[in-house]
């Protein structure tokens, strides 16, 4: 395992010092990992079936009913009592904890849908008889995957655009900035409404449309960092040595600019999830029948007599966004230079450091300064006028 540098060790220590954000990260990772195995938790197919000495994995493979002694070549309906009797006589069935997928309709309800929580449906059903718990698990996974994918791709495009603007400046910056101002003025919601009337929205369709507008979120931050850094001495030295612009931008300047960029990523992710939820709530998001938290909120609004619909989806969204905000705050603290360099700042203003500045002006040398139990080694250009 590669060893972290001293500055990254201090950043990790500052991140852990924010206990709320640190434990929020672990809770978020636990929930995300849990939902990544949603097919093994909530599914209308068994995880494994043993029939006449043979093992089958319906969770991955479709088997015809004839495989289990039936007469039809159609996919097996494992909830059918006749199929279950045949399997129990010649083997066994391993079911997930929840016997419903996100689109499975429970036809054996004893009350009209939406039905209240029961032993079969622990969080009740929606207005179409589908299990709420299963839809929450799958909806959580879709929301997180959508937010992370959109954040990753839009960040790559935004960082590249901001780097080009900040590094080259001049006419390049002027043209790109005017383009961003015009492009950001386009009404994304109206564009989605028009396209939704022409094309059936899907996960990747929505991702592509939102990517057209979300990449502009980081451009200003990266542009400002590149503007500030491009005139530093080490950049000028790299140019003098003949290093090409691409190497200077993405190998030497970008790592310094990423400090301000990384702190925005959790908040961009939460914003992406909120946007998807809002679109689903308005009916312009994922296709009908998809596991969507926004669609469940809309059902809760339309069925006020079934409070388990609105409350369950509300608490899932609130917990998800709260965890991301807490993680973002911890990341911001971890990369805060006032906290990362607090130890150095205290040392550089101490009397022992000032008493060591006895070298001539602009003299580069080693300076070994010792205090009780804390040796320090300093290498650099010590300008007495700027100390």
């Amino acid at each position: 395992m590669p060893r972290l540098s001293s500055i990254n060790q201090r950043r990790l220590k500052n991140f852990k010092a924010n206990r709320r954000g640190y434990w929020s990260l672990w809770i978020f990772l636990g929930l995300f990992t849990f939902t990544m195995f949603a097919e093994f938790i909530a599914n209308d197919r068994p995880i494994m079936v043993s029939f006449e000495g043979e093992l089958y994995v319906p969770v991955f493979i479709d088997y015809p009913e004839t495989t289990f002694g039936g007469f039809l070549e159609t996919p097996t309906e494992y909830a059918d009592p006749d199929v279950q009797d045949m399997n129990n006589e010649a083997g066994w069935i391993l079911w997930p904890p929840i016997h419903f997928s996100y689109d499975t309709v429970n036809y054996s309800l004893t009350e009209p849908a939406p039905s209240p929580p029961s032993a079969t449906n622990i969080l009740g059903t929606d207005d179409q008889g589908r299990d709420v718990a299963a839809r929450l698990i799958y909806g959580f996974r879709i929301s997180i995957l959508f937010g992370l994918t959109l954040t990753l791709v839009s960040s790559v495009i935004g960082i590249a655009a901001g780097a080009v603007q900040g590094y080259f400046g001049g006419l390049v910056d002027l043209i790109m900035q005017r383009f961003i101002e015009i492009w950001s003025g386009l009404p994304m919601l109206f564009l989605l409404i028009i396209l939704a009337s022409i094309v059936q929205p899907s996960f990747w369709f929505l991702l592509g449309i939102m990517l057209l507008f979300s990449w502009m979120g980081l451009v200003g931050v990266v542009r400002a960092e590149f503007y500030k850094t491009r005139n530093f001495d080490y950049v000028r030295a790299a140019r003098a040595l003949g290093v090409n612009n691409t190497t200077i931008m993405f190998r030497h300047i970008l790592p310094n600019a990423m400090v301000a960029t990384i702190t925005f990523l959790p908040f961009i992710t939460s914003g992406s999830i909120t946007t998807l939820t809002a679109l689903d709530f308005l009916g312009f998001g994922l296709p009908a029948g998809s596991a969507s938290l926004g669609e469940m909120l809309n059902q809760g609004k339309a069925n006020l007599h079934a409070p388990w619909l609105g409350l369950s989806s509300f608490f899932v969204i609130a917990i998800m966004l709260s965890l991301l905000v807490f993680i973002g705050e911890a990341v911001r603290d971890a990369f805060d230079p006032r906290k990362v360099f607090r130890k150095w700042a205290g040392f550089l203003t101490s009397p022992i450091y000032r008493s060591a500045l006895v070298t001539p002006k602009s003299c580069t040398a080693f300076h070994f300064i010792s205090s009780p139990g804390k040796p320090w080694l300093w290498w650099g250009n010590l300008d007495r006028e700027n100390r």
Side-chain angles (χ1 to χ4, degrees):
M1 181 178 178
R3 181 179 175 84
L4 294 176
S5 62
S6 59
I7 187 173
N8 286 329
Q9 290 179 8
R10 290 195 294 271
R11 287 170 177 165
L12 180 60
K13 182 179 179 181
N14 288 336
F15 181 82
K16 292 181 177 180
N18 190 321
R19 307 303 296 174
R20 183 175 61 183
Y22 177 71
W23 287 110
S24 295
L25 174 63
W26 283 109
I27 295 173
F28 177 80
L29 291 177
L31 292 175
F32 182 55
T33 305
F34 175 78
T35 56
M36 287 300 293
F37 298 94
E39 285 76 11
F40 296 91
I41 301 167
N43 206 333
D44 55 0
R45 298 182 181 186
I47 299 175
M48 187 175 295
V49 174
S50 175
F51 185 77
E52 295 181 348
E54 297 289 335
L55 290 178
Y56 302 92
V57 282
V59 70
F60 294 120
I61 303 173
D62 282 329
Y63 297 103
E65 191 175 306
T66 54
T67 305
F68 305 105
F71 301 98
L72 302 175
E73 293 291 340
T74 57
T76 305
E77 291 289 341
Y78 297 95
D80 190 335
D82 295 333
V83 175
Q84 292 189 18
D85 291 340
M86 289 186 293
N87 285 326
N88 291 329
E89 290 176 0
W92 46 264
I93 302 177
L94 177 62
W95 284 95
I98 301 175
H99 295 188
F100 305 95
S101 186
Y102 67 91
D103 57 351
T104 306
V105 178
N106 186 358
Y107 292 102
S108 59
L109 292 175
T110 58
E111 300 183 34
S115 62
S118 63
T120 304
N121 306 104
I122 55 176
L123 291 179
T125 64
D126 63 3
D127 56 3
Q128 298 183 32
R130 299 170 298 191
D131 187 76
V132 172
R135 293 183 64 79
L136 289 177
I137 294 173
Y138 282 90
F140 185 95
R141 182 175 68 176
I142 289 179
S143 298
I144 295 298
L145 289 176
F146 185 90
L148 291 178
T149 305
L150 182 61
T151 300
L152 178 63
V153 180
S154 63
S155 297
V156 171
I157 300 175
I159 289 172
V164 171
Q165 283 188 248
Y167 182 78
F168 292 103
L171 185 61
V172 174
D173 179 44
L174 181 64
I175 294 176
M176 293 186 66
Q177 197 65 18
R178 298 293 82 77
F179 171 78
I180 290 175
E181 291 175 358
I182 296 173
W183 191 253
S184 61
L186 296 178
M188 183 184 69
L189 180 60
F190 292 158
L191 182 62
L192 279 172
I193 294 174
I194 295 172
L195 293 177
S197 63
I198 302 173
V199 183
Q200 175 65 44
S202 64
F203 180 91
W204 298 107
F205 178 81
L206 286 175
L207 188 66
I209 294 298
M210 294 182 62
L211 183 61
L212 293 176
F213 298 92
S214 61
W215 62 271
M216 295 177 286
L218 287 176
V219 172
V221 178
V222 179
R223 173 174 171 264
E225 290 292 328
F226 269 74
Y227 256 129
K228 179 181 68 176
T229 310
R230 67 176 182 171
N231 292 320
F232 283 3
D233 290 340
Y234 73 90
V235 177
R236 294 179 178 177
R239 288 174 181 162
L241 291 173
V243 181
N244 61 69
N245 291 327
T246 304
T247 303
I248 294 175
M249 289 169 59
F250 295 103
R251 184 175 180 181
H252 299 294
I253 300 181
L254 184 59
N256 296 322
M258 287 300 292
V259 172
T261 303
I262 290 175
T263 59
F264 282 90
L265 295 184
F267 302 103
I268 295 176
T269 304
S270 61
S272 303
I273 294 173
T274 304
T275 303
L276 177 64
T277 303
L279 290 175
D280 290 336
F281 180 82
L282 295 173
F284 302 114
L286 297 172
S290 300
S292 166
L293 299 178
E295 189 261 347
M296 292 191 64
L297 282 177
N298 192 22
Q299 285 197 33
K301 179 181 72 69
N303 299 276
L304 296 178
H305 61 283
W308 56 88
L309 287 175
L311 290 177
S312 58
S313 53
F314 167 77
F315 281 116
V316 169
I317 295 172
I319 291 173
M320 182 198 318
L321 297 181
S322 298
L323 291 175
L324 288 172
V325 170
F326 294 155
I327 294 171
E329 291 177 351
V331 171
R332 182 188 59 193
D333 292 343
F335 286 89
D336 189 349
R338 294 172 297 179
K339 296 183 178 181
V340 173
F341 298 104
R342 180 182 299 171
K343 183 177 180 180
W344 284 100
F347 170 71
L348 295 177
T349 57
S350 62
I352 188 173
Y353 173 76
R354 292 180 176 273
S355 63
L357 297 181
V358 295
T359 55
K361 180 180 180 181
S362 300
C363 174
T364 302
F366 278 112
H367 298 274
F368 183 77
I369 312 168
S370 62
S371 60
K374 294 183 179 180
W376 298 85
L377 183 63
W378 180 271
W379 165 261
N381 189 336
L382 300 178
D383 189 342
R384 298 181 64 186
E385 293 181 358
N386 297 326
R387 67 187 182 202

